[in-house]
Amino acid sequence: MNLGFGEIALIVFVALLLFGPKKLPELGKAAGKTLKEFKNATKGIMEEEKKEKAPPK
């Protein structure tokens, strides 16, 4: 899914219309925190799987 400049500009414009300039930074911050938590959780799961698959010594 490749988004060009036009598509990104349209998405930002619609977001500004829907949420307003004051609410948009808060939504971005919340989305960033959510993605960070998801990434950390996924990383933890991957590390657990590696430990389980490792041959015993």
Side-chain angles (χ1 to χ4, degrees):
M1 183 173 164
N2 295 330
L3 293 176
F5 178 75
E7 290 89 2
I8 293 174
L10 180 64
I11 292 169
V12 170
F13 179 72
V14 170
L16 280 171
L17 286 177
L18 290 175
F19 301 110
K22 291 183 181 179
K23 193 73 169 174
L24 203 57
E26 294 174 17
L27 293 172
K29 187 176 180 181
K33 284 183 179 180
T34 302
L35 287 174
K36 184 177 180 182
E37 289 176 13
F38 179 75
K39 183 179 175 183
N40 289 339
T42 306
K43 186 177 179 182
I45 292 171
M46 297 294 283
E47 288 176 358
E48 287 177 10
E49 286 183 9
K50 285 182 182 179
K51 288 179 183 178
E52 289 176 1
K53 290 183 180 180
K57 293 183 178 180

